[in-house]
Amino acid sequence: MRSDGVVTLVLVAAVLMLIIQGSSFFEQAIADAGAQFGPGVRVTMVMLTLNVALILVGWRRLADLQHEQERRFDAERRAAHIASSDVITGLNNRKGLADLGEALRLRLAARGSGWGVTSIRMHRFKAINERHGYETGDAMLRHIADAILKVLPDEAIAARLNGDEFAVAFPVDLADSAPGNEIAAAMLQAITSPLDVDGRMLQAGAYAGIAVANADTPLPHLLRRADIALEQAASGRSARPIWFDGGMERAMIAHVEIEQGIRVALDNDQFVPFFEPQVDLDSGEIVGFEMLARWNHPSSGLILPEAFIGVAEDIGVIARLSEQVISAALADVAKWDPALSLSVNISPMQLSDPWLAQRIIRLLTEAGVAPERLVVEITESSLFADLELARSIATSLKNQGIRLALDDFGTGYSSLAHLRSLPFDAIKIDRSFTASISHDSESAAIVRAVAALAGAIKVPVIVEGIEDAATHAAVLGLGCQMGQGWYFGKAMPADQAEQLIKRSPSVAAPRTATRKA
């Protein structure tokens, strides 16, 4: 920039000198008209020629500088475009959405209009990349981007935020939610429709969340709300767009607070075992207990597992939590009658750990409890994420002497083939079937069928949710052997369980299966 100023200054000086010298030259020329040029005229002519040359050189340099400045501006524009655009799809990236979104917000605020954001996440896109390669995945993204642009209204701004997430900001009439819903539905349709990509028919799923507000609401706030609605759609596997509401945000804040609390609780041993008695339905004798986790919160008191187990799974600490509570439960059980069993629930995430059997054996060894006293309960739904791995872990547990129970039977996807191939020692009928068994013939028929099936393969049945004498009599009459529920006793801390054992007239030996792994 300094050289530009110097060139301009020289050019201006040359023009001034031309004017001054030119005026002197012409005055001299007129005075000497008809006379022979003298030395002064010759000097003046030389100076005039030099001035003309300086003007021409300066003018050329000035033109070059202007061209150079234009090229620099073009390069800056291209750099700005690259910085705000997605390389693969050509849509805006997060920065581009922020810049253009703010401009859109200001225009809409001036008009008194509202605006909305739709946040969309693809489902199964990673599997497409892994199966067909990243080039095919990129080509699919370009097809999807083109399809999205075709369904957007005027002024809408589309962006690809990361690998499989898109967002669109658009004007909206706050009094009419239909257009916003139509935009989100059209985007979902564009993303989930089968696509011909290089001769391959590819299809992915997607979830969508929508948030709308007046134009005074900044884009980051609106996008965060749309993302919260998106998480709600994904967790519920909703095939339609989900609208944000304030309850979602409050739930998210509570989720974060629980997450932070769980980490503190793990460090301070606040998770404790409670014990729900399991009885022989015929004799009423206690045969064992099911361990249920409780959070002994310093200010909120006892918190039930429904409030924290899912969060612990989400943040990846469920294995640590489970081992901590099982270890404490085994320390209590070690003091009780050796004939009593302890049933523990295993999270589906733990069932994917190939070292699960070794971890449980370590806990048993540290507590001095025989493996035969432990029953590991596995839910139906957790088996089918990886059936072969589940079978391998179940076999490893059985080989160590640990017994297995199929939990929540009837709520998942079990088949007779699975019951035959997996070495279960007991089947637990879910409480949803026993709640109405005394007056619902269909529930009674299901329990009867399960009891008959279990009897055929010589596996005892444990019934959950027995809460009154009528239900107790009904399940006993249908051929079930063991049960648990409030009728026999609610989940209780270890000291109360110990008192219950002492008051019990006798302790029955647990019923074991005759099958072997």
Side-chain angles (χ1 to χ4, degrees):
M1 297 300 294
R2 183 177 179 181
S3 62
D4 296 350
V6 172
V7 170
T8 303
L9 184 59
V10 171
L11 184 59
V12 171
V15 171
L16 291 175
M17 290 179 65
L18 176 61
I19 294 172
I20 296 171
Q21 296 297 331
S23 300
S24 301
F25 171 74
F26 287 116
E27 290 176 0
Q28 184 67 32
I30 293 171
D32 297 338
Q36 192 175 9
F37 290 160
V41 175
R42 292 190 180 94
V43 172
T44 302
M45 292 178 65
V46 171
M47 293 179 65
L48 180 61
T49 303
L50 290 174
N51 284 329
V52 172
L54 284 173
I55 291 172
L56 294 177
V57 170
W59 191 270
R60 175 61 182 272
R61 177 57 181 165
L62 184 60
D64 290 343
L65 289 174
Q66 290 175 339
H67 290 312
E68 182 180 346
Q69 189 175 36
E70 291 175 359
R71 288 193 297 269
R72 185 165 60 248
F73 287 159
D74 288 340
E76 290 174 354
R77 283 193 295 269
R78 288 194 298 270
H81 176 73
I82 293 173
S84 61
S85 300
D86 177 56
V87 177
I88 295 175
T89 63
L91 298 177
N92 295 288
N93 58 16
R94 190 176 293 274
K95 182 181 183 303
L97 178 64
D99 294 341
L100 296 178
E102 178 61 14
L104 174 62
R105 186 189 71 80
L106 293 175
R107 292 198 304 272
L108 295 176
R111 301 203 302 254
S113 300
W115 71 326
V117 168
T118 295
S119 184
I120 289 188
R121 181 193 304 150
M122 296 175 64
H123 177 52
R124 298 190 304 271
F125 180 65
K126 180 181 178 182
I128 292 173
N129 270 336
E130 292 174 348
R131 181 176 181 181
H132 300 287
Y134 287 96
E135 291 184 359
T136 299
D138 291 348
M140 183 178 186
L141 289 174
R142 286 189 286 271
H143 280 76
I144 289 173
D146 292 340
I148 289 175
L149 291 175
K150 291 178 181 178
V151 301
L152 295 185
D154 295 339
E155 290 191 282
I157 303 166
R160 177 178 174 237
L161 302 183
N162 57 39
D164 58 358
E165 288 193 16
F166 296 84
V168 171
F170 52 89
V172 68
D173 182 358
L174 296 178
D176 184 9
S177 63
N181 204 65
E182 291 172 359
I183 292 171
M187 288 181 64
L188 278 177
Q189 180 67 25
I191 292 176
T192 59
S193 296
L195 297 173
D196 183 354
V197 181
D198 299 331
R200 299 185 180 95
M201 292 303 297
L202 303 179
Q203 187 173 17
Y207 304 111
I210 311 173
V212 297
N214 58 50
D216 294 333
T217 304
L219 177 64
H221 293 179
L222 203 56
L223 183 59
R224 181 175 62 85
R225 295 173 186 175
D227 286 341
I228 292 173
L230 169 61
E231 293 300 328
Q232 187 80 7
S235 62
R237 296 187 177 276
S238 174
R240 60 181 180 81
I242 297 295
W243 285 78
F244 170 83
D245 63 54
M248 295 179 184
E249 190 166 21
R250 290 190 293 272
M252 185 196 68
I253 294 173
H255 186 285
V256 173
E257 291 177 349
I258 292 174
E259 175 184 335
Q260 295 171 345
I262 287 174
R263 298 186 189 278
V264 173
L266 286 170
D267 293 336
N268 292 276
D269 296 324
Q270 293 176 6
F271 293 105
V272 296
F274 269 48
F275 301 88
E276 183 175 335
Q278 296 175 328
V279 304
D280 184 300
L281 294 177
D282 189 19
S283 66
E285 297 171 346
I286 297 175
V287 296
F289 291 86
E290 179 180 1
M291 185 211 74
L292 301 171
R294 296 289 188 268
W295 183 357
N296 190 13
H297 196 280
S299 59
S300 301
L302 286 176
I303 299 177
L304 297 178
E306 291 81 0
F308 61 84
I309 291 296
V311 180
E313 290 178 334
D314 290 342
I315 63 178
V317 299
I318 187 62
R320 181 184 172 192
L321 189 157
S322 179
E323 290 183 19
Q324 191 176 98
V325 180
I326 291 175
S327 178
L330 289 173
D332 293 322
V333 170
K335 307 171 189 176
W336 300 345
D337 191 308
L340 292 171
S341 65
L342 178 69
S343 297
V344 298
N345 294 280
I346 294 298
S347 164
M349 295 183 65
Q350 290 177 272
L351 201 59
S352 64
D353 179 8
W355 296 98
L356 177 63
Q358 287 76 7
R359 297 181 193 279
I360 293 177
I361 289 297
R362 176 180 56 82
L363 296 176
L364 287 166
T365 303
E366 291 174 352
V369 176
E372 294 77 12
R373 296 183 64 186
L374 186 66
V375 180
V376 172
E377 297 184 359
I378 302 173
T379 60
E380 283 189 80
S381 57
S382 66
L383 293 174
F384 302 100
D386 190 334
L387 186 59
E388 289 304 317
L389 180 59
R391 182 181 288 112
S392 173
I393 292 174
T395 303
S396 297
L397 292 169
K398 285 285 292 181
N399 289 341
Q400 299 294 337
I402 298 169
R403 290 178 287 153
L404 301 177
L406 180 60
D407 196 13
D408 296 341
F409 186 81
T411 62
Y413 311 95
S414 285
S415 68
L416 295 178
H418 295 139
L419 291 177
R420 291 183 59 193
S421 63
L422 292 167
F424 290 111
D425 298 283
I427 294 175
K428 297 191 71 174
I429 297 179
D430 186 67
R431 66 181 64 249
S432 61
F433 296 109
T434 59
S436 58
I437 193 172
S438 60
H439 59 271
D440 186 344
S441 59
E442 290 185 0
S443 295
I446 292 173
V447 173
R448 182 184 296 108
V450 173
L453 170 63
I457 59 177
K458 298 182 174 60
V459 173
V461 172
I462 304 173
V463 182
E464 297 180 308
I466 300 175
E467 298 185 1
D468 51 46
T471 304
H472 176 207
V475 297
L476 182 61
L478 294 174
C480 301
Q481 293 83 25
M482 291 178 284
Q484 62 188 85
W486 288 6
Y487 182 64
F488 305 109
K490 297 181 180 181
M492 61 192 76
D495 56 344
Q496 294 182 20
E498 189 170 352
Q499 293 299 318
L500 180 64
I501 295 170
K502 292 178 179 179
R503 292 197 305 269
S504 181
S506 63
V507 177
R511 302 190 184 196
T512 57
T514 59
R515 296 176 11 171
K516 295 185 178 181

